[in-house]
């Protein structure tokens, strides 16, 4: 059959199609330069054999995974669908509302399907949010001469070179916002110029749907002359249709994934590129109650948070240096050493917030925070951050949010966030009946002080449950923040298949066979029938299905002094330090340390954390029989709850997002 582009597809009528399914969220403007946008969520499924071909899926893909035995779950850019080509409708549509079509589709939840076809692009590979990655920019031209208004050099500048694009680029913003932990550099190869390649398709692209043109472009990439890369940025002529429902969609990004697509004329807005790559990193949109009516309108206000690049304001071409809000920063983990957690029903909180720019310049001390999460059973999590507008976060469009503490709400990783309050010095945010307790949560900004670093001192408490920190004297600082535990994820056996970019399994993923399967600094925890826990990791929503299957997972031993930690099997050639195990005898311990044999989670002299996050059942621990000064008291790490989604707005007018705050 023919695709909508008129290019013949070579799949035989009764062949089986196997493709990787991905979530994509796009954005349709309600009007040029208007305020806000309407989200446009879709599923696509991409096969790469015999040619790259993307199928549009109508209906709820997630429901295909309901009731499977063994239990399974949908993972964007990971889960695989298999179906006969005979069920494919016009324009490569798989309509799951058709009972016959639905019954013909089978799912494979934990494996990535990639053929051995010699293609350099990463087809929906899982990616990480730390490291240096190569990006390939593709400038699409058609047979009539229709092309993006941006030249190849201007595209290079927008993504990679500040000096060409008004002093700012996607690369510089992401590097600055991550304190140098996430970097995208130009792809290399003889077929490229500064990471950019121009591909010409042999038909007119005007009115064509982006995924059809995208398939043809990927199939036209040369098999040689392009070295390995991770991210792709595809720039179309403005005449290409990026929306499945009509409207002016200007960008799209796989959620999560490695691909982004852009409509010409909007690439110069660097914040758009950062926004789309944010979707690749599993960030949802960020909104606010723009019309201040007390209702968050998902279809109108999901982009109205001007403090975050996952909102919908883009400003001018030279004004793209904007980072992320508190919830997004928390889940990205770039400042995990400076993120805190509080549970209002247990304790009050007092602390000092430092903005992203100063933290990235190392102007922050161990007892200060970049972001703080406020959570309790029965409540949607809140996140706090000092939105100091300077340096990499010097976005100028909205002065209402500038240099204030912004409180946002987000219900898990990958979800939409909403601004709840914007607080200046002396102002208080109140949320009544916090977590169904009948008591009011209070968050107060005690002071905002310019200095090195610039700081905002805050207090948070639950009325009638704990005392409010004093704003007249320095508040009590909560214990130094500890990186949060990740959820256990079974991604396949071997787990390395799920990470084709690095070939190494990430923390808390499995099934691993030995340490060589894991990323640097991680070890493979070999579980036995009694190992119901995985050190340093927590069970997620599917934990009940995984806890008894004896799969092995990559873990990161704690480096905290004096805390019981499983670091692997110890012997005389690889001895354990104090409070570490598993030792078999004292010969497996350093120096004069003694190996304590345990039958469960017994306390170990001079060590803390028995039965804690990094301990493992029946592991024997090395300890000192001599008096040891007690280690600095640090509470056991609190488990964080990950979650996932999204795509792209176009430049919109600056929007003050008024949120009520109460003077203290």
């Amino acid at each position: 059959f023919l695709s909508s582009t008129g290019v013949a597809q070579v799949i035989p009528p009764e062949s089986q199609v196997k493709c990787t399914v991905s979530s994509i969220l796009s954005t349709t403007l309600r009007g040029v330069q208007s305020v806000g946008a309407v989200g446009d969520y879709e599923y696509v499924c991409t096969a790469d054999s015999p040619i790259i071909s993307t199928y549009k899926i109508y209906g709820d893909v997630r429901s295909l995974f309901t009731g499977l035995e063994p239990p399974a779950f949908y993972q964007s850019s990971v889960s695989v669908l298999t179906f006969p080509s005979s069920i494919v409708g016009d324009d490569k549509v798989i309509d799951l509302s058709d009972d016959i079509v639905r019954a013909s589709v089978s799912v494979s939840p934990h494996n990535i399907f990639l053929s051995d076809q010699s293609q350099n692009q990463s087809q929906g590979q899982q990616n990480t949010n730390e490291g240096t990655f190569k990006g390939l920019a593709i400038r699409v031209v058609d047979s009539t001469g229709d092309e993006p208004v941006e030249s190849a050099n201007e595209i290079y500048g927008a993504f990679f070179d500040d000096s060409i694009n008004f002093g700012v680029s996607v690369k510089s913003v992401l590097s600055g916002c991550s304190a140098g932990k996430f970097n995208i550099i130009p792809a290399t190869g003889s077929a490229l110029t500064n990471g950019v390649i121009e591909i010409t398709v042999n038909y007119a692209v005007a009115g064509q749907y982006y995924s059809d043109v995208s398939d043809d472009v990927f199939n036209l990439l040369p098999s040689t002359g392009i070295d390995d890369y991770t991210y792709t940025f595809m720039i179309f002529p403005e005449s290409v249709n990026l929306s499945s429902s009509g409207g002016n969609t200007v960008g799209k990004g796989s959620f999560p994934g490695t691909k982004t697509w852009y409509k010409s004329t909007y690439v110069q807005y660097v914040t758009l590129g950062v926004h789309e790559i944010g979707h690749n990193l599993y960030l949802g949109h960020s909104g606010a109650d723009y019309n201040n009516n007390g209702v968050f309108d998902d279809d109108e206000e999901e982009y109205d948070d001007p403090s975050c690049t996952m909102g919908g304001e883009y400003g001018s071409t030279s004004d793209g240096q904007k980072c992320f809000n508190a919830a997004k920063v928390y889940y990205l983990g770039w400042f995990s050493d400076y993120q805190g957690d509080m549970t209002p029903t247990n304790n009050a909180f007092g602390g000092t917030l430092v903005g992203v720019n100063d933290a990235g310049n190392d102007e922050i001390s161990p007892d200060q925070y970049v972001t703080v999460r406020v959570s309790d059973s029965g409540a949607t999590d809140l996140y706090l951050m000092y939105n100091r507008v300077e340096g990499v976060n010097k976005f100028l469009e909205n002065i209402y949010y500038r240099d204030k503490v912004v409180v946002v709400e987000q219900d898990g990783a990958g979800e939409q966030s909403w601004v709840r309050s914007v607080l200046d010095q002396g102002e208080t945010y109140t949320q009544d009946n916090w977590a169904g307790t009948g008591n009011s949560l209070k968050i107060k900004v005690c002071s905002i002080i310019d200095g090195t670093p610039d700081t905002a001192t805050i207090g948070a408490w639950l009325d009638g449950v704990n005392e409010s920190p004093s704003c007249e004297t320095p508040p009590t600082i909560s214990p130094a923040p500890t990186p949060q535990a990740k959820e256990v994820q079974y991604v396949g056996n071997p787990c390395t298949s799920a990470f084709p970019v690095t070939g190494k399994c990430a923390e808390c993923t499995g099934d691993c066979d030995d340490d060589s399967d894991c990323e640097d600094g991680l070890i493979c925890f070999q579980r036995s029938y009694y190992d119901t826990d995985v050190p340093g990791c927590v069970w997620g929503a599917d934990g009940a299905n995984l806890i008894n299957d004896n799969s092995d997972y990559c873990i990161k031993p704690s480096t905290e002094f004096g805390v019981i930690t499983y670091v692997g099997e110890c012997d005389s050639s690889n001895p354990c330090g104090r409070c570490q195990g598993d030792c078999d005898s004292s010969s497996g311990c350093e120096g004069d340390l003694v190996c304590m044999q345990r039958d469960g989670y017994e306390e170990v002299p001079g060590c803390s954390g028995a039965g804690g996050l990094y301990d493992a059942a029946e592991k024997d621990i090395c300890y000192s029989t001599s008096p040891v000064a007690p280690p600095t008291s640090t509470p056991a790490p609190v488990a964080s709850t990950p979650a996932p989604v999204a795509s792209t707005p176009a430049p919109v007018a600056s929007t003050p997002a008024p949120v009520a705050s109460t003077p203290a």
Side-chain angles (χ1 to χ4, degrees), residues 1-4 9 17 53-58 83-96 98 101 212:
F1 60 89
L2 297 179
S3 72
S4 62
Q9 302 298 300
V17 176
S53 188
T54 299
Y55 300 87
K56 310 168 190 70
I57 302 177
Y58 294 172
F83 50 84
S85 59
S86 58
I87 69 167
V88 178
D90 294 339
D91 293 336
K92 297 192 291 187
V93 169
I94 307 298
D95 187 358
L96 297 180
D98 185 309
V101 171
D212 297 319

Side-chain angles (χ1 to χ4, degrees), residues 129 131-132 159-160 162 169-185 270 274 277 281 321-324 334-335 356-357 359-361 392:
N129 59 2
T132 298
F159 284 98
F160 304 115
D162 301 14
S169 66
V170 171
K171 173 187 173 183
S172 67
V173 172
L174 286 169
S175 180
C177 291
S178 67
K181 293 182 179 179
F182 183 84
N183 299 283
I184 292 182
I185 60 176
V270 165
V274 177
I277 294 170
L281 297 177
Q321 299 188 76
K322 178 164 62 170
C323 295
F324 303 92
W334 291 331
F335 297 94
V356 166
N357 188 74
N361 290 330
V392 72

Side-chain angles (χ1 to χ4, degrees), residues 144-195:
T144 71
D146 196 2
E147 63 182 356
V149 297
E150 299 89 354
S151 67
N153 195 51
E154 288 170 334
I155 290 172
Y156 162 69
F159 284 98
F160 304 115
D161 192 335
D162 301 14
S163 65
I164 296 175
N165 195 65
F166 308 98
V168 64
S169 66
V170 171
K171 173 187 173 183
S172 67
V173 172
L174 286 169
S175 180
C177 291
S178 67
K181 293 182 179 179
F182 183 84
N183 299 283
I184 292 182
I185 60 176
T188 56
S190 59
L192 311 179
T193 302
N194 293 327

Side-chain angles (χ1 to χ4, degrees), residues 549-631:
D549 70 357
N550 290 343
S551 293
D552 306 321
Y553 295 91
C554 295
I555 66 170
K556 183 177 183 179
S558 173
T559 57
E560 195 172 347
F561 182 77
V563 174
I564 294 174
T565 304
Y566 175 77
V567 297
E569 300 304 310
C570 308
D571 54 32
S572 57
S573 62
N574 184 36
C576 283
R578 191 172 73 86
C579 304
Q580 295 179 344
D582 183 27
C583 54
D584 293 326
S585 65
S586 297
S587 64
C589 300
E590 293 179 350
D592 296 329
L593 298 179
V594 176
C595 181
M596 176 179 172
Q597 305 292 321
R598 300 198 302 166
D599 295 321
Y601 293 103
E602 291 93 336
E603 297 284 347
V604 178
C607 303
S608 63
L613 183 63
Y614 293 99
D615 196 5
E618 301 188 17
K619 300 302 180 185
D620 305 324
I621 304 298
C622 296
Y623 74 101
S624 175
T625 57
S626 304
V628 178

Side-chain angles (χ1 to χ4, degrees), residues 27-33 238 241-243 246-251 263 266 648-651:
T27 306
T28 303
L29 291 180
R30 295 195 297 269
V32 177
Q33 297 295 321
E238 193 168 3
N241 179 17
L242 264 69
S243 174
N248 185 24
T249 297
V250 296
K263 180 174 286 192
Y266 297 102
T648 355

Side-chain angles (χ1 to χ4, degrees), residues 400-422:
Y400 180 73
Y401 284 62
R402 184 183 300 176
D403 301 336
K404 296 178 183 178
V405 173
V406 180
V407 182
V408 301
E409 175 183 274
Q410 183 169 315
D411 191 17
E415 297 297 330
Q416 167 86 35
S417 64
W418 296 103
V419 174
R420 279 299 185 181
S421 190
V422 182

Side-chain angles (χ1 to χ4, degrees), residues 458-590:
I458 62 169
W461 68 96
L462 195 59
D463 264 356
V465 176
N466 40 54
E467 296 182 359
S468 63
S470 170
C471 280
E472 282 66 49
T473 59
T476 302
I477 301 298
S478 295
T482 306
Q484 303 301 297
K486 294 178 168 56
E487 285 191 359
V488 174
Q489 293 186 64
Y490 178 88
V491 297
N493 184 4
C495 56
T496 52
S497 299
F499 300 93
V501 176
T502 64
K504 300 288 186 178
C505 308
E507 185 180 0
C508 301
T509 66
D511 187 9
C512 57
D513 294 325
D514 53 49
D515 294 351
S516 64
D517 289 340
C518 303
E519 290 180 350
D520 292 345
L522 306 182
I523 62 174
C524 182
F525 177 58
Q526 304 288 334
R527 298 171 66 223
S528 301
Y529 67 92
Y530 49 77
D531 289 317
T532 56
D533 295 315
V534 177
C537 310
V538 295
W539 297 109
D542 60 336
N545 302 320
L546 300 176
I547 197 167
N548 295 318
D549 70 357
N550 290 343
S551 293
D552 306 321
Y553 295 91
C554 295
I555 66 170
K556 183 177 183 179
S558 173
T559 57
E560 195 172 347
F561 182 77
V563 174
I564 294 174
T565 304
Y566 175 77
V567 297
E569 300 304 310
C570 308
D571 54 32
S572 57
S573 62
N574 184 36
C576 283
R578 191 172 73 86
C579 304
Q580 295 179 344
D582 183 27
C583 54
D584 293 326
S585 65
S586 297
S587 64
C589 300
E590 293 179 350

